[in-house]
Amino acid sequence: QCAARIPEAGAVLGLLEKCPEHQKKGGFPVVVFEGLDATGKTTVTESVKDTLNGVLLRSPPACISQWRTVFDNEPTPIKRAFYAAGNYILASEIAKASTRAPVIIDRYWHSTAAYTIATEINGKVQDLPPAHDEVYQWPADLLKPDLVLLLTVDPEERVRRLQRRGLEKTKEEAELEVNSLFRQR
């Protein structure tokens, strides 16, 4: 319905419709690296890819990443739909790539879920759903990785890294900086 207002939505949905409904992983391992911006994901994923002679994929996938800023400025449900679609498109790429080499992924479903949960839950970390709540369960219809690693770094070092990059802050990064409670969630 939003394609009339957001032409890029039609292109994203077109790519999503081309993805097989149930993705099957190939014989090579699939490893995901998660973490906030400036925790070393790019450096580590490039190194692991080279060491394993693997394939490096990112979320959102390259085929839709050019529209990220468009969707990031949309209302929350549309933005979430974009990132959810990206996870399924990425799963299709993972399935293909894992038939020929190890697959290294810079962010996946975990980032989407963590950001959604952190923005939907008000209050303190204690107010989050309990550890075994279904909100944390892997979607049954999404290709699952073999291993997920969370990279962390001292918050002050992370800010220094971001400043060295000279990058403009994303809305998410500004929220993390201002709201330590959001970062904890």
Side-chain angles (χ1 to χ4, degrees):
Q1 294 175 345
C2 67
R5 191 170 68 84
I6 311 165
E8 297 84 354
V12 171
L13 291 173
L15 289 168
L16 186 59
E17 288 173 2
K18 292 178 184 174
C19 297
E21 209 169 308
H22 297 285
Q23 307 292 336
K24 297 273 191 230
K25 191 177 86 55
F28 287 92
V30 175
V31 180
V32 176
F33 288 87
E34 291 284 355
L36 296 174
D37 289 347
T39 56
K41 289 182 311 305
T42 300
T43 302
V44 171
T45 55
E46 288 285 345
S47 178
V48 172
K49 174 200 60 116
D50 292 345
T51 300
L52 297 178
N53 197 24
V55 175
L56 176 59
L57 300 174
R58 301 182 194 286
S59 179
C63 62
I64 66 168
S65 64
Q66 73 268 24
W67 301 312
R68 185 176 184 174
T69 55
V70 171
F71 287 93
D72 280 349
N73 290 318
E74 290 298 324
T76 300
I78 294 172
K79 180 166 56 169
R80 283 198 190 127
F82 170 77
Y83 285 99
N87 284 323
Y88 286 89
I89 294 167
L90 182 58
S92 184
E93 293 178 3
I94 294 166
K96 289 177 198 162
S98 66
T99 63
R100 63 183 192 278
V103 180
I104 311 307
I105 306 168
D106 185 337
R107 292 197 171 145
Y108 193 28
W109 174 82
H110 313 84
S111 287
T112 306
Y115 185 77
T116 299
I117 292 165
T119 55
E120 286 299 313
I121 303 296
N122 292 318
K124 299 182 179 182
V125 173
Q126 296 87 334
D127 298 329
L128 289 170
H132 297 293
D133 192 277
E134 68 180 18
V135 72
Y136 304 117
Q137 300 307 306
W138 190 267
D141 61 343
L142 186 63
L143 189 142
K144 195 171 184 178
D146 295 298
L147 178 65
V148 179
L149 299 166
L150 175 65
L151 302 181
T152 62
V153 69
D154 177 74
E156 290 81 22
E157 173 60 22
R158 200 174 73 74
V159 169
R160 279 192 293 276
R161 290 177 183 185
L162 287 167
Q163 289 170 344
R164 278 196 307 259
R165 291 180 187 177
L167 296 177
E168 190 177 315
K169 285 183 192 157
T170 62
K171 286 191 284 187
E172 292 81 7
E173 195 56 46
E175 179 73 22
L176 286 170
E177 188 175 282
V178 171
N179 188 343
S180 66
L181 187 57
F182 178 75
R183 181 176 40 252
Q184 291 169 0
R185 287 194 305 261

